[in-house]
Amino acid sequence: MRTSRTTRFTLSASFGALLIVAASVPAQSPAADPNMARALRALTVQPVIDGHNDLPWRIREDTVHPMDVEAYDLRKRAPGMTDLARLKRGHVGAQFWSIYIPGERNDKTYRAKGEVASTPGYARVQLEQIDIARRVVARYPELQWTLTADAVTASIARGKIGSLLGLEGGHAIENSLNTLRTYYELGARYMTLTHNVTLDWADAALDSAKHHGLTPFGREVVREMNRLGMLVDLSHVSPGTMSAALDVTAAPVIFSHSAARALVDHPRNVPDSILARVPKNGGVVMVPFVTVFVSKAVKADDDQLQALTAAAAQRHPGDTAAARGEVAAWRAAHPRPKATIADVADAIEHVRQVAGIDHVGIGSDFDGIDENVVGLEDVSTYPALFAELARRGWSDADLRKLSGGNVLRVLRAAEQVAARLKRERPASTATIEQLDGPGRPPTP
């Protein structure tokens, strides 16, 4: 259980009995389902380029062989949601592997590694995650290290799975543009400006807003990412940060795993006011398979559970067993609703309606979730979603844009902007002290 990640999804994970593991739904054969045949045809031409998969963290937290890349064998059916056979069945052509680290400084991940490292920072764990991800890619010939859009295209043409890294959370740079550049050199091709914690320079969606979006240093982070060619990822950030980043960036942005707030009012989702700005920027919103982001029923259930849990704790002060018993009794009488493929398709179609077909993609969040959308249980299941969209009238060309064409365009555009900016200006030497001054908020 990845507490620091899953708190963004649902409090039901606090009670083991409340988790739902949806059973796989047998798919019709392409011959029996013309929509599946169309989906597979589109995915053969343009395989899925997924914006967010947490396999490196899943390997780190494996209960049997933690952090052991060799023992977590992707040639077999892995215990998580990702392995080589299922990636092939899912028609995955490239993947941004998330190199997530928790943003909460008191997380157990940052426990001391000896007296000299009694107060470890984020960088150690970030480098460990980069190491895990790079060793995974190096271990399997089926995966190929791809640092550019052209490299991704060439890798797909060779039948490989292009592999890029997505750095999830700007806390990892520890307020240092030098560190940001080092991560880029190690392979990070996007950075999510925040995770769940508001930083010294950027507001997070699930934390208090302190900066009206971005501080002057936060804006400089965006500018330096543009100069490097690192995609600015606006998942996890507040609407104010989204807006500020769109004001500053010279390159298209991504939302690596966010859905539509107009459909499900979750703070991690993207408001229509921001979606409407995405076309002018040229970016892409990559819709996830996170139940509480795409299902109103699941979100309402979470809200009810949170209120009930708080009330039970008040009614039974100091008696956690009684409080848990009350919540468990409520759950027994109120089965957890299930999110469906139709819910995900609705979110995708809403992004398409507001932002346009050129600005929507897929960011599953596989291996970073502990509750599945029914029918989207692992990386083999993408065709089922594309068959649903084909059933709704999507053209083959539109399916190809969604599966990977749009994010490839964004990556290529960011590279072009970076080439221009590198001719125009050197690497930034600005510091947070210089730009934000002594009155900036303390680090959380």
Side-chain angles (χ1 to χ4, degrees):
M1 181 67 65
R2 295 178 293 282
T3 305
S4 54
R5 282 191 63 79
T6 55
T7 49
R8 66 183 182 173
F9 301 140
T10 172
L11 291 176
S12 65
S14 299
F15 305 91
L18 308 186
L19 295 178
I20 293 175
V21 180
S24 296
V25 178
Q28 288 183 287
S29 69
D33 183 355
N35 296 301
M36 178 60 77
R38 284 190 52 223
L40 294 175
R41 184 167 65 243
L43 292 175
T44 299
V45 176
Q46 175 56 72
V48 172
I49 301 177
D50 187 300
H52 200 87
N53 182 302
D54 277 293
L55 176 65
W57 190 258
R58 175 64 182 80
I59 293 173
R60 182 188 188 93
E61 291 207 324
D62 186 66
T63 56
V64 181
H65 301 288
M67 298 185 71
D68 192 333
V69 170
E70 285 70 32
Y72 197 96
D73 191 352
L74 298 184
R75 295 198 184 283
K76 301 176 182 177
R77 185 175 179 90
M81 302 171 184
T82 307
D83 55 48
L84 295 176
R86 285 183 283 177
L87 285 166
K88 184 176 181 180
R89 290 202 302 274
H91 289 256
V92 177
Q95 179 66 64
F96 284 91
W97 303 107
S98 172
I99 42 174
Y100 157 79
I101 63 171
E104 296 79 5
R105 292 192 65 84
N106 61 351
D107 189 276
K108 63 181 177 61
T109 306
Y110 304 113
R111 63 184 179 272
K113 296 288 188 180
E115 290 184 7
V116 174
S118 58
T119 56
Y122 296 119
R124 170 181 61 82
V125 179
Q126 187 63 80
L127 291 171
E128 288 173 354
Q129 288 308 105
I130 292 173
D131 174 68
I132 289 173
R134 289 176 64 108
R135 285 192 292 127
V136 168
V137 175
R139 184 164 190 253
Y140 301 101
E142 294 88 344
L143 307 180
Q144 186 158 4
W145 191 237
T146 49
L147 296 179
T148 65
D150 285 347
V152 171
T153 302
S155 174
I156 291 172
R158 287 191 290 268
K160 307 291 186 180
I161 297 172
S163 295
L164 310 92
L165 303 185
L167 195 158
E168 189 176 15
H171 52 282
I173 72 170
E174 298 191 16
N175 298 340
S176 165
L177 297 179
N178 307 70
T179 306
L180 173 70
R181 288 188 285 270
T182 299
Y183 291 146
Y184 179 83
E185 291 300 321
L186 290 172
R189 286 302 177 264
Y190 75 65
M191 183 174 77
T192 320
L193 295 187
T194 74
H195 191 246
N196 289 340
V197 176
T198 286
L199 308 182
D200 289 344
W201 48 270
D203 293 331
L206 299 185
D207 199 357
S208 57
K210 300 177 180 177
H211 313 298
H212 303 290
L214 292 171
T215 69
F217 181 76
R219 296 184 184 94
E220 188 71 357
V221 170
V222 171
R223 284 189 285 265
E224 187 64 6
M225 291 174 70
N226 289 166
R227 194 193 67 83
L228 289 169
M230 182 186 286
L231 296 173
V232 176
D233 178 18
L234 300 181
S235 286
H236 279 288
V237 306
S238 71
T241 302
M242 296 175 191
S243 184
L246 287 169
D247 289 343
V248 173
T249 185
V253 303
I254 65 167
F255 295 76
S256 67
H257 56 308
S258 295
R261 193 158 184 177
L263 295 187
V264 180
D265 189 16
H266 192 291
R268 272 282 283 104
N269 285 340
V270 188
D272 276 3
S273 59
I274 298 296
L275 290 178
R277 295 186 61 183
V278 171
K280 183 177 181 180
N281 166 263
V284 61
V285 178
M286 309 181 83
V287 175
F289 305 161
V290 181
T291 60
V292 75
F293 294 176
V294 299
S295 168
K296 287 182 181 179
V298 173
K299 175 62 165 60
D301 185 78
D302 271 9
D303 293 343
Q304 241 183 318
L305 179 63
Q306 182 175 14
L308 178 68
T309 301
Q314 284 188 334
R315 282 191 291 271
H316 305 282
D319 191 345
T320 57
R324 284 177 175 269
E326 186 174 321
V327 173
W330 177 85
R331 171 53 79 213
H334 301 83
R336 175 103 165 136
K338 299 179 181 180
T340 66
I341 288 179
D343 292 324
V344 178
D346 288 346
I348 289 170
E349 292 207 300
H350 185 85
V351 174
R352 174 182 178 161
Q353 179 183 1
V354 180
I357 184 56
D358 294 322
H359 306 286
V360 62
I362 300 295
S364 65
D365 210 358
F366 279 135
D367 276 314
I369 49 179
D370 54 19
E371 179 179 70
N372 292 112
V373 172
V374 175
L376 297 174
E377 289 80 20
D378 59 43
V379 295
S380 72
T381 60
Y382 297 99
L385 173 61
F386 282 78
E388 170 64 19
L389 293 168
R391 190 171 296 112
R392 295 181 180 206
W394 281 49
S395 69
D396 288 4
D398 289 350
L399 292 174
R400 293 194 298 269
K401 288 183 177 184
L402 172 71
S403 64
N406 287 338
V407 72
L408 265 179
R409 172 187 54 78
V410 166
L411 184 59
R412 188 167 280 112
E415 292 165 4
Q416 293 168 352
V417 169
R420 173 176 61 82
L421 293 178
K422 285 174 182 174
R423 293 192 298 268
E424 295 175 357
R425 64 175 187 250
S428 175
T429 59
T431 67
I432 193 167
E433 292 83 4
Q434 290 170 340
L435 296 182
D436 291 355
R440 62 184 177 85
T443 300

